[in-house]
Amino acid sequence: MSTDQQPEPPSLPHLDREKVVELVSYAERYVLLLQWEERELRRLNRDSSDLLPIIQGWEFMSIALRESYDLEETDFPR
């Protein structure tokens, strides 16, 4: 394949809706943990700048999964 041709978009893998909800929930909980760690580092006057892109990556993954699999808030138990 030539590098000047647009690549085909990837196909979304078939995953059970329940598993996707679990993955999104995991990503969202991980964001909360990393945000807590970042606050603790700042409280201790330590550098936390390396956590910001990691947090943003997990947030992006959560949003991407929600949108790719058309999940709604009602898919998530509270």
Side-chain angles (χ1 to χ4, degrees), residues 48-59:
S48 64
S49 61
D50 61 330
L51 284 179
L52 183 58
I54 297 169
I55 293 168
Q56 290 171 334
W58 280 100
E59 289 172 329

Side-chain angles (χ1 to χ4, degrees), residues 10-23:
S11 297
L12 195 61
H14 173 73
L15 296 174
D16 292 332
R17 193 169 197 79
E18 180 181 310
K19 292 298 178 193
V20 178
V21 168
E22 289 177 20
L23 286 170

